[in-house]
Amino acid sequence: MYGSESGTVPEDLERTAFRRAEKKYKLYYEDTYKSSKKKRKPKPVDLSEVLDFNSILESYYQNVELPQGVVPIRCGFDRPVFSLENRPGFYFIPGALSVKEQCQWIKESLTSFPQPPNRTNHNAFYGPINDLFIAANERKVLVADGGSNSECDPSVSNGDVHGWKFFEEYEVSSKGSTCKSVSASVLLRKLRWSTLGLQFDWSKRNYDVSLPHKKIPDTLCQLAKRLATPAMPLGEEFQPEGAIVNYFGPGDMLGGHLDDMEADWSKPIVSMSLGCKAIFLLGGKHREDPPIAMFLRSGDVVLMAGEARECFHGVPRIFTDGENDEIVTLERQFSQEEDISVLEYIRSSRININIRQVY
């Protein structure tokens, strides 16, 4: 009533349907904890409308009726694949990756995939960084190289980058605060993406074939080819040429977007979820189309091909609390392998590897 009199529009009405869904599921904290030193408490969120493909898979095995619009696909794949009637070209494969496969690709995402010449979000400021995960575990500090006349003498260093070098923590402390520096552990937590194969230029939003790169590891290529099968045109084989690895920490989100820079949209994007559980929003061809919310758990795989490539999608929320993150099997596996550093990282993180055929 007051809005019509003042000529203003309520804030929610100004948002698109996709933006309203992002706001609904985004992580917010209780106001009472803002100034408290106690652990902040997340505000409760209504998850009753979120599709749960774990439950759908159980219903499928028990011959129970599936939710309206969810259709099992018979494609000769080695496990159940589901599609959505109103989103042609979208496929969901619950638990497609074994626990060992999940652990393998989590470790690769932290140790191998950010290695130069692969580019990361840190390149723009720090240049290529070697062995970031190792440096973070060794509590090293990245220090600006001020040249030989600087108090920041880089004569004793490990893993140099253009203009920056890693030092032991005690070495930096002894030099005082005369140098620009950042701890490797902070950089690891601020790692948001790395690129494999053909390198994606985020500033131009296209693939730059002139940038140095390594081919996607063959093991990952073979896995992607197998996973892509349900979404591939008959008689064709998926050709992995580029991949983007996204890293999510507590409170991180990925806004609604399109992946539209590849030449042939009939070929799928193969998206592998690792680590903490997330909410995935699959919208329509316009931001005004109400999106479908669904849970993504570690080991789930999503394929988007054809018309689904034109759908806005994003990740408004990851769950990093012990009650909802659903990573018990991962924790058990990493504990058995005594890989404590990876375990500590993934307890509060999600990794997504999405693989593309570029041409």
Side-chain angles (χ1 to χ4, degrees), residues 292-310:
I292 301 167
M294 62 195 79
F295 290 120
L296 281 175
R297 294 177 173 87
S298 194
D300 290 342
V301 168
V302 160
L303 308 174
M304 296 180 70
E307 288 187 41
R309 292 292 300 268
E310 303 176 59

Side-chain angles (χ1 to χ4, degrees), residues 3 10 61 73 77 88 103 139 142 145 156 159 161 165 174 250 275 293 298 311 315 321 342 355:
Y61 282 133
I73 298 296
F77 200 65
C103 291
R139 300 184 180 276
L142 195 64
D145 178 3
V156 181
V161 300
K165 293 180 182 291
S174 67
S298 194
C311 293
V315 178
D321 57 289
V342 177
I355 307 150

Side-chain angles (χ1 to χ4, degrees), residues 25-90:
Y25 293 115
K26 183 180 177 182
L27 174 63
Y28 293 100
Y29 291 100
E30 298 284 5
D31 294 338
T32 54
Y33 285 80
K34 280 185 177 179
S35 59
S36 172
K37 292 183 179 180
K38 296 180 181 179
K39 185 176 180 181
R40 294 187 296 174
K41 183 178 180 182
K43 285 186 176 181
V45 57
D46 180 6
L47 301 175
S48 60
E49 296 181 353
V50 183
L51 272 180
D52 187 339
F53 278 94
N54 263 16
S55 298
I56 291 170
L57 186 63
E58 289 180 14
S59 298
Y60 173 81
Y61 282 133
Q62 296 170 6
N63 292 318
V64 177
E65 185 177 357
L66 303 183
Q68 185 176 1
V70 177
V71 181
I73 298 296
R74 304 189 186 281
C75 57
F77 200 65
D78 60 4
R79 61 184 303 109
V81 179
F82 299 97
S83 67
L84 300 176
E85 283 183 346
N86 59 354
R87 295 293 190 276
F90 176 84

Side-chain angles (χ1 to χ4, degrees), residues 272-326:
M272 299 162 44
S273 287
L274 303 166
C276 293
K277 186 174 72 176
I279 291 177
F280 177 73
L281 294 179
L282 177 65
K285 297 181 181 181
H286 308 281
R287 292 184 184 273
E288 289 74 19
D289 298 329
I292 301 167
M294 62 195 79
F295 290 120
L296 281 175
R297 294 177 173 87
S298 194
D300 290 342
V301 168
V302 160
L303 308 174
M304 296 180 70
E307 288 187 41
R309 292 292 300 268
E310 303 176 59
C311 293
F312 284 91
H313 56 280
V315 178
R317 175 80 172 263
I318 74 164
F319 297 91
T320 58
D321 57 289
E323 183 179 352
N324 294 299
D325 54 20
E326 298 191 32

Side-chain angles (χ1 to χ4, degrees), residues 186-354:
V186 168
L187 287 175
L188 180 63
R189 272 297 163 196
K190 291 186 176 181
L191 181 65
R192 291 293 173 262
W193 55 263
S194 61
T195 48
L196 314 180
L198 294 177
Q199 299 291 289
F200 190 78
D201 187 333
W202 295 86
S203 62
K204 299 176 182 177
R205 291 202 75 248
N206 62 20
Y207 290 91
D208 188 344
V209 296
S210 68
L211 291 173
H213 65 275
K214 294 180 182 177
K215 288 185 177 180
I216 297 174
D218 186 63
T219 309
L220 184 57
C221 281
Q222 295 307 315
L223 176 61
K225 287 181 180 183
R226 180 176 67 83
L227 293 171
T229 304
M232 284 298 292
L234 190 63
E236 296 188 39
E237 185 179 64
F238 185 64
Q239 300 299 323
E241 294 169 323
I244 298 174
V245 185
N246 297 117
Y247 305 83
F248 298 80
D252 287 346
M253 61 179 291
L254 181 63
H257 66 284
L258 298 175
D259 292 304
D260 55 1
M261 301 313 299
E262 292 73 37
D264 185 354
W265 291 2
S266 71
K267 308 303 188 297
I269 289 179
V270 179
S271 179
M272 299 162 44
S273 287
L274 303 166
C276 293
K277 186 174 72 176
I279 291 177
F280 177 73
L281 294 179
L282 177 65
K285 297 181 181 181
H286 308 281
R287 292 184 184 273
E288 289 74 19
D289 298 329
I292 301 167
M294 62 195 79
F295 290 120
L296 281 175
R297 294 177 173 87
S298 194
D300 290 342
V301 168
V302 160
L303 308 174
M304 296 180 70
E307 288 187 41
R309 292 292 300 268
E310 303 176 59
C311 293
F312 284 91
H313 56 280
V315 178
R317 175 80 172 263
I318 74 164
F319 297 91
T320 58
D321 57 289
E323 183 179 352
N324 294 299
D325 54 20
E326 298 191 32
I327 57 169
V328 173
T329 55
L330 284 179
E331 290 179 311
R332 188 180 301 122
Q333 183 68 29
F334 282 126
S335 296
Q336 289 174 355
E337 296 176 6
E338 297 184 353
D339 210 331
I340 305 304
S341 55
V342 177
L343 172 60
E344 288 303 313
Y345 178 91
I346 208 62
R347 274 179 170 155
S348 59
S349 305
R350 174 181 182 263
I351 297 173
N352 169 244
I353 305 174
N354 52 89

